[in-house]
Every structure is written in C-alpha cells, then in structure tokens.
Amino acid sequence: MEKPAVQKPSRVTIREVAIDAGVSVAAVSKVLRDAYGVSESMRLKVRKSMAKLGYRPHTAARGMRGQTFTLGMILPDLRNPFFSDILAGVNSALERTQYQVLLGVSQSGTTFDDALVDSMIDRQMDGLILIGPTDQQQLLDIAKRKPLATIGNHAPGVSSYDTVNNDDYEGGTLAVRHLSSNGYRNIAMLSLITESTIITQRELGYRREMMEQELGSYINVVRARQTMREVQIAAKKLLEAPDRPEAIFCWTDFIALEVISVATEMGLSIPRDLAVVGYDNTMYCDFAQNSLTSVDQSGELLGLQSVRLLIERIKGRTESEHFVVTPRVVARNSSADRLG
Amino acid sequence: MEKPAVQKPSRVTIREVAIDAGVSVAAVSKVLRDAYGVSESMRLKVRKSMAKLGYRPHTAARGMRGQTFTLGMILPDLRNPFFSDILAGVNSALERTQYQVLLGVSQSGTTFDDALVDSMIDRQMDGLILIGPTDQQQLLDIAKRKPLATIGNHAPGVSSYDTVNNDDYEGGTLAVRHLSSNGYRNIAMLSLITESTIITQRELGYRREMMEQELGSYINVVRARQTMREVQIAAKKLLEAPDRPEAIFCWTDFIALEVISVATEMGLSIPRDLAVVGYDNTMYCDFAQNSLTSVDQSGELLGLQSVRLLIERIKGRTESEHFVVTPRVVARNSSADRLG
DNA sequence: CTGAAAGCGCTTACAG
DNA sequence: CTGAAAGCGCTTACAG
C-alpha cells in the first residue's frame, strides 16, 4: 500500500490542551466527558484552552477505551421517502446531545447485511438503529453485541432491545374501515413477500376488519416483491380478473403509485373505477396527479423515539421498552366517496 | 456518565491471532494490510488462525495509526430518489475493495454542515464524497484535510480534489432542443435559488439554446427554494401570467412533479396546455400519471466514478481528475409533440 | 479535587 | 523474511 497523500496538519491533542491549561491529561479527559470530580475553576481553564487551540476530540482514540458518541442507523433502501421523515426525527432528537448518526444502506431482503452490521460494530458505534428486516435470531445476536433499537419490527416479548412502531394492525384496520365507509366493498390488499412482522400485522388488520364489515368473501391478499416489474404483474393480474376489486390497499405509497400507474394505463379512472390507499403518507401523496389517500405512521415521531430509547439503553437501562404510536388515515381523492 | 451496559464478549485481537499462529503481532498486522515482506507460508498460517478465531480488525485501533477503510458520503437530503441511483454506483464500486461507505445527511443550504464534515474527519474517514453544495472555499479547506471527491460541483480548475459531474450545460441545451423540436416555443425554466455551479450551468445551457433556436424573447428563469410552498408559489405565478409558458424546464424531477400538480389543480392538461421536463430521470418519471420527460445524468455512473477517483487519491494520486458524463433526454408524454 | 501510569488494538520504523 | 518496541490519542482505575 502506498503512502496516503493526506498531510495531517498535526491535530491538536488532549496533551497540548493540558499543557496550555497547565493541568494533567487526565483532567482534560474528565472535562471532555463531563465526568465528576473536577473543580469549576479547572473546568473553565480547560474549556478556554480547548476553544483557544481549536481542540477536537479524536473519535477513534476515544473509541479505544470509551464511547465514540456515534450511532449507526441502517435503512433498507434510499428510494422510499418515508425514511426521510424518520431521519428528521432522529436529527431533532440528536440536536442537543453529543451523539451523531451515520447511515448505512442494506440492500438485502429479509435480514440485514451482516457485513454492514459488523462494520458498524467494528467502527465502535455506541448503538444501532435498525429499520426493516425482522429476523429475530439476527436481531437477538446483534443485541448481544450492541445496544439496539429497531423501527418497523414488532417484538413485544423481547427484552434485550427496544422497538419503535406504529400499530400496523390498527393501520390495516383503519384502511379497510375508511374504504368501507366510503362505499367500497370489494377491497383487495397488495402486500409484500416478506417475513416482516409489520406486514403480517397490516394483513391481519385488513383481514379482521373485512370480516368485521361483513366483507369476508372479498378478502384477497396478493403479495409481490418490491420491484417495479413484480408489482406491475401483480397489479395487472388483480385488475384484469373478472371480479376486479373496487379498491386496493397497498402496503406502502410507493407501490400504491405504481398501482395507479398500471390502472391509468389500462384506461381505468381513479377513484371512479378503482380506489387506492397507500401507507406512510409520504410527500408524493400530496401531488394532485396522485392525490393518494394514505395511512400516516408519523415517521418523525418514530425516529425521535428510537434515538431516545437507544441513548437510554447506552446509558445503562436494561429492561426493554416497546413504543407504539397509533396511525391515522389521511384521506385524499384516490379513495373519494363513491356516492359523493 | 454511567457505565455502558454493553457486555463486550472480549473481542479477538491481533495478539491472540499471533499467538495462535505462532508468529509476531507485527506479522499479523502485515498480513492484515497485505503489506509486502511476508512469506507465503506465514500468510497462510495467519489467515487460517484469523478464520479459526473469527478475527475482525478493530477499526478504531487501525485508525489511530493507519487507515479506517471507511469513506464518508454526505447527501443534501433523503427525499430525492436520485441519490439512490448514486448509491447503487457507489456500492458496486466498493464491492471488491476493503472499503465501506457511511452516509451523513446535511440539511443545510449552500454549504455542507461543518459539524457533520468535522465529525466524519474526527472519525478518521479515509476520504469524503460530497454531494451538492459548491462553496469553493469550504471545499478547498476540506480537501486540505482529507482526500475529497465531489458530485454535482463544477470546478474544472481545481487541483486539490476530484469532481464527477454530468455536463449540466449540455443538459440545459438538450432540454430546450427537445422541447423546441416538439413545437414548444415559450419555454420557461424553473430553477433553484443557490450558488450551485450545476444550476448555473443548466441555466446557461437553457439561455444559450433559447438564443440558438431564436426563442430569446421567451427566456424566463424563475428561481425558488426547494420547499413545496415556494415551488407552488413560483409555479402558480408562472402559470397565471398573461404570457403563460407552453413548457417549463425544471431543475429536478421532484420540482417538475410539483409543477404538474399545480397545473393539474388549475385545470390545465399535460402536455396539451403545458409541457414539463425534469432532470435526473428518477423512477417517478415512469409512473403513467406523471410520464415525465427528464434529462438522465446517469447517477449510477457518477457514484461509481466518484469512488474510483477517491480511492486513487487516497492511495496517493495528487493531480486532480474531473470526470464528466454526457446527459441524454428520456422523452415521455409530458413533452409530447404538439402536432402529434 | 488532581495527576502519574497503564493500557485500549493496532501500525510503523528499525534491527536483526 | 521476521519481530521487539514505541507510539497513535484517548480513558480508567488507583494513589495522593
């Protein structure tokens, strides 16, 4: 390996701060960590020297013995604007702390990319926020190694890590109730091929509420992978069937938009010929050409809570917390009242 | 600060590998780094012990003296699916290397959030890929501290860092040429309030080609910030003017979709009453309800090249490289031929 | 309250 | 080709 071209302008270290302030290296370290056992006058002196010299703690060195004050967050992809909402919440929770969040994107399917998880642990992240996959064995293994909080993974019985979720069962219920009260009866669900507990819950909510509304004979759950091609095929199949549904409840907005696209290309009109409801209430729902009704699960709140719980756990909490927020339907034109 | 609850299962260190393999610690380090001066037999022995013990290098410790094999990438936001294309290219470039990429999101406007940049440097990232802001002074300062490559920043004269871009001037030119050849004459541009060189180039290409097509009298550049509200206001103002444009060229897809939304709500039909062209050719262009013509700048290629250049620079290259890819128009219904 | 010293897990000259 | 030793910039018991 050749010599790196980086010409380090010799970083200011804790030692130089100590000399400048006329105190010991240990003292500076204590001030840095806000540890107890330091007099006010020393604290002031040290802070002054830090500012004067432009001292910045060296994260790798801190990580060798203590914390890195870095949280790792893994997203399943970067296409779904829902993650932008979550991140907004994460950032606002981090604002007044020493922590920073660094993101990784795991392209894999039902589990997190082990290489990425390992790499975050190798980099001494203090804790992990994992979004998406719900392989319990993997999550339990990770929780053994690092403080962990998940988003989008129902595991109410787990004690070794924290979870943050919206009530997906309720979300499925609300979607059906909304469509039913707007006059739709033949309501299908376009779901995801996955082991994910959140998808399972949405499906369950859909099924139960269909029964509840005495629409049990219309229950129809079609599952597809999260690729454009597979979604198109699934949507076409639904729309070309002799008992074409009057409405389709989709597991995420992204997919709902694709369904609108397929329906439009088939000459169907939304919502006259077909109503569509999505999930996540992302910004694309608001566009007039979509005007997509969607279940809002408060991404920002989920992000905020995940950070709060994770930092608590890093600081020593050992019992688990499982935070759940109630979703709500944001009605738009794509599911307008049939009679209206 | 309380004691962290992490029960480290005592990581396998380089020392234990050395003992197991019956060699020195230095030897293991050399094998780890693929450094020269190690016999084949020793290399084999060491690798075997590493595998047997499940050794994983401790990134923070490596970072204290050498490299961390971590690249930092900063995105301006998570809403634009264009960044997903870039990341796909980044990942495929990284596939056969030891490097990993970690993402940060900087919400600020015309410069990168210094706190985020500093934090990546504090964390001993080996190099940085920065997307978006183009404050030259800031970029030059960063380049002094770390190997740097930018995406979406034209700086052909700079020698201290590398740049990767599409030819935004050509992109602006192509958009106008496409619209003009499809019969549109009164073509406005909806641009971004920014110092960004890529926006400047797109505007310049737009203006020059309008002149070239003898449409100079129609030149009209309106600038707005990247918020829904401001874009709506700007779009409405354009569409309510007495000399309403026949076509609007938007600086990114995202904004183009919002223009379609505003136009649709005003009762205008796309493309009969208004043609729209976007930029980035993101996946949302394909939806039938959008069917948005867009300038494709090959995000994947940009991501790939940025990694290639950055790693070269980390390995010691000091002259700069400025990679430019030629964009192309992907025509869809939103700009269909007026006569057709 | 304050500080000297050991040590975190590596890499890097430097001898051999 | 191989290894002993110093050191990267911090934190952590442990004395004082």
Side-chain angles (χ1 to χ4, degrees), chain B residues 146-267:
Chain B
K146 280 290 169 188
L148 171 65
T150 65
I151 299 179
N153 160 45
H154 292 286
V158 162
S159 65
S160 60
Y161 64 86
D162 302 322
T163 67
V164 173
N165 287 293
N166 90 113
D167 185 339
D168 290 286
Y169 176 86
E170 178 76 3
T173 304
L174 292 176
V176 171
R177 196 175 296 157
H178 165 77
L179 284 165
S180 164
S181 77
N182 274 7
Y184 301 93
R185 297 169 53 78
N186 186 348
I187 304 168
M189 174 168 181
L190 183 44
S191 186
L192 178 68
I193 295 184
T194 175
E195 308 284 300
S196 167
T197 51
I198 68 170
I199 300 299
T200 316
Q201 289 295 306
R202 285 178 203 175
E203 287 183 6
L204 199 61
Y206 160 82
R207 286 177 194 278
R208 289 268 175 78
E209 186 64 16
M210 287 296 278
M211 299 295 284
E212 197 70 31
Q213 302 283 337
E214 297 182 353
L215 301 173
S217 62
Y218 292 115
I219 290 178
N220 183 12
V221 177
V222 175
R223 296 168 141 227
R225 287 206 178 70
Q226 199 186 164
T227 69
M228 283 306 179
R229 229 184 83 76
E230 289 213 28
V231 171
Q232 277 164 15
I233 292 169
K236 266 193 194 125
K237 204 171 143 197
L238 269 173
L239 296 177
E240 282 167 353
D243 56 337
R244 194 182 77 206
E246 299 160 6
I248 301 181
F249 166 43
C250 302
W251 75 271
T252 191
D253 289 343
F254 190 80
I255 303 301
L257 296 180
E258 182 65 30
V259 168
I260 292 179
S261 176
V262 170
T264 303
E265 282 182 331
M266 287 173 66

Side-chain angles (χ1 to χ4, degrees), chain A residues 6 8, chain B residues 121 124-128 142-148:
Chain A
V6 209
K8 317 218 164 170
Chain B
I121 293 177
Q124 297 297 105
M125 305 258 175
D126 292 336
L128 260 30
I142 296 171
K144 275 186 202 143
R145 305 203 282 162
K146 280 290 169 188
L148 171 65

Side-chain angles (χ1 to χ4, degrees), chain A residues 98-142:
Chain A
Q98 297 191 66
Y99 291 88
Q100 275 253 246
V101 70
L102 255 22
L103 311 183
V105 177
S106 170
Q107 322 265 23
S108 54
T110 63
T111 62
F112 289 98
D113 178 6
D114 279 316
L116 183 56
V117 172
D118 285 342
S119 112
M120 287 195 162
I121 294 176
D122 294 344
R123 282 163 182 73
Q124 298 296 107
M125 305 255 177
D126 292 336
L128 261 30
I129 298 173
L130 267 28
I131 305 179
T134 61
D135 181 303
Q136 288 311 317
Q137 194 51 57
Q138 184 187 34
L139 292 174
L140 290 172
D141 287 345
I142 295 172

Side-chain angles (χ1 to χ4, degrees), chain B residues 38 73-74 79 131 170 224 253 310:
Chain B
V38 194
M73 177 158 129
I74 301 186
R79 293 177 307 179
I131 305 180
E170 178 76 3
D253 289 343
L310 185 59

Side-chain angles (χ1 to χ4, degrees), chain A residues 56 70 100 122-123 258, chain B residues 56 70 119 122-123 258 287:
Chain A
R56 298 193 55 81
T70 309
Q100 275 253 246
D122 294 344
R123 282 163 182 73
E258 182 65 29
Chain B
R56 299 194 54 83
T70 309
S119 113
D122 295 343
R123 281 163 182 74
E258 182 65 30
F287 290 145

Side-chain angles (χ1 to χ4, degrees), chain A residues 15-147:
Chain A
R15 163 162 286 116
E16 297 169 56
V17 173
I19 292 169
D20 184 84
V23 302
S24 74
V25 162
V28 178
S29 172
K30 277 176 194 156
V31 173
L32 192 60
R33 286 173 291 126
D34 276 323
Y36 58 91
V38 194
S39 69
E40 195 53 33
S41 70
M42 173 176 273
R43 191 181 302 281
L44 251 46
K45 263 196 306 192
V46 170
R47 288 213 187 288
K48 208 164 133 190
S49 294
M50 281 180 174
K52 174 175 148 201
L53 301 177
Y55 170 75
R56 298 193 55 81
H58 188 294
T59 309
R62 302 187 80 173
M64 296 275 316
R65 305 222 29 130
Q67 295 186 246
T68 57
F69 296 98
T70 309
L71 308 180
M73 176 158 129
I74 301 187
L75 311 173
D77 68 80
L78 229 47
R79 292 177 308 179
N80 198 329
F82 176 55
F83 300 128
S84 178
D85 297 341
I86 292 181
L87 185 66
V90 166
N91 278 332
S92 79
L94 251 28
E95 220 152 64
R96 305 198 54 82
T97 74
Q98 297 191 66
Y99 291 88
Q100 275 253 246
V101 70
L102 255 22
L103 311 183
V105 177
S106 170
Q107 322 265 23
S108 54
T110 63
T111 62
F112 289 98
D113 178 6
D114 279 316
L116 183 56
V117 172
D118 285 342
S119 112
M120 287 195 162
I121 294 176
D122 294 344
R123 282 163 182 73
Q124 298 296 107
M125 305 255 177
D126 292 336
L128 261 30
I129 298 173
L130 267 28
I131 305 179
T134 61
D135 181 303
Q136 288 311 317
Q137 194 51 57
Q138 184 187 34
L139 292 174
L140 290 172
D141 287 345
I142 295 172
K144 274 186 204 145
R145 305 204 282 162
K146 281 288 170 190

